[in-house]
Amino acid sequence: VEQLSYPPPGASLARWNRPICLSISNMLPELAQFVIDRVAINALEAGVDVGGPGCKPNVIIFATSDGQALARRVVSEFSLGFRPAALHTNPPGAALREFQTSEQPVRWWNVAIPLEVTTGEIATRMHGDTMYPDGGPNPAAVRVRDGSRLRSNVRYDMAWTVIIIDMSKTNGVPLGVLADYVSMVSLAQVDPSADLTGQQTIMSLFHAGSSVRGLTSWDKDYLAALYSARPDRI
C-alpha cells in the first residue's frame, strides 16, 4: 500500500465521494463505450457511484499515438486543470514534468479537493490569484469537532483525473485489460514511478515478465478498503 499510494505531500488519500463520469476522445465509439462500461463496472464493484447520460465528465481519457506531445499540449492549454491550487491538491512540480516527458504507455494526473468533513464545504480561501487549502495565507476557518490523532477535520475528495493512453506503446494488451488498468488509476491515487515488479497488481501490467490479465484480488481489496474506510481517517 505504501508503494502504490500517492497522495500529494501533506494530504491524506483522496477518493471519489461523488459519481464518476467518463469521457474518451480519439477512440472508435464502440471501443470507447467498451472501456467506459468496463471502468464503470469496476467502479461500482469498488463502491463508487457512476453518473448517468449527460453527466459532466470528471475522468477525462485521451487515446493518442504520441503521448508526450499530447501531454505537453494539454498541460500548456489547460494549466490550471493540472495545478489549480498551491498546496495539497495535486502532485509536486517534478511529477508534472514527468507526466509530460514519460515514455510509459499510460500516464495520469489526479486532482483532489480538501473539504470539511462535517459540512462538505471547500476548506480553502482565495488570496490574490492563488487558492490555498487549509493552512495557507488567510486560511478558511475549519471547524474542529475534537482533537484527535486518528481523525481529521478535513477529507480529500477526488475532483478530476486526466488520463492519456499512448496506443503505440501498449504492445497489444487486450482492451479489457487496459480498461482495468485505467480503472485503477481513475479510482485511486497511484504512484506512476512505483516499482511494483513481481507484485500481484494490475499496475505491473507493463513491466517485463508480468502475467496479470486484469484487476487482481489485491487490487480489488485495495479499492474496497479505500472506499469503505472512514473519510476522516488520517
Side-chain angles (χ1 to χ4, degrees), residues 55-123:
C55 60
K56 182 178 180 181
N58 49 25
V59 178
I60 302 163
I61 303 168
F62 298 96
T64 181
S65 59
D66 189 337
Q68 281 191 1
L70 182 57
R72 288 192 292 266
R73 178 181 172 187
V74 295
V75 170
S76 174
E77 293 183 4
F78 307 103
S79 58
L80 283 179
F82 289 86
R83 298 187 66 79
L87 300 171
H88 306 321
T89 63
N90 41 252
L96 188 58
R97 290 190 290 274
E98 177 65 19
F99 175 83
Q100 297 174 81
T101 60
S102 172
E103 296 284 351
Q104 294 302 310
V106 182
R107 68 194 74 205
W108 58 91
W109 190 262
N110 307 118
V111 173
I113 295 178
L115 302 176
E116 291 189 29
V117 170
T118 53
T119 66
E121 297 174 357
I122 297 177

Side-chain angles (χ1 to χ4, degrees), residues 203-232:
M203 297 313 301
S204 67
L205 176 63
F206 296 109
H207 294 183
S210 173
S211 61
V212 296
R213 289 297 177 263
L215 289 176
T216 67
S217 295
W218 192 93
D219 296 325
K220 294 178 180 180
D221 288 346
Y222 178 95
L223 293 174
L226 175 64
Y227 283 95
S228 62
R230 292 177 57 119
D232 61 350

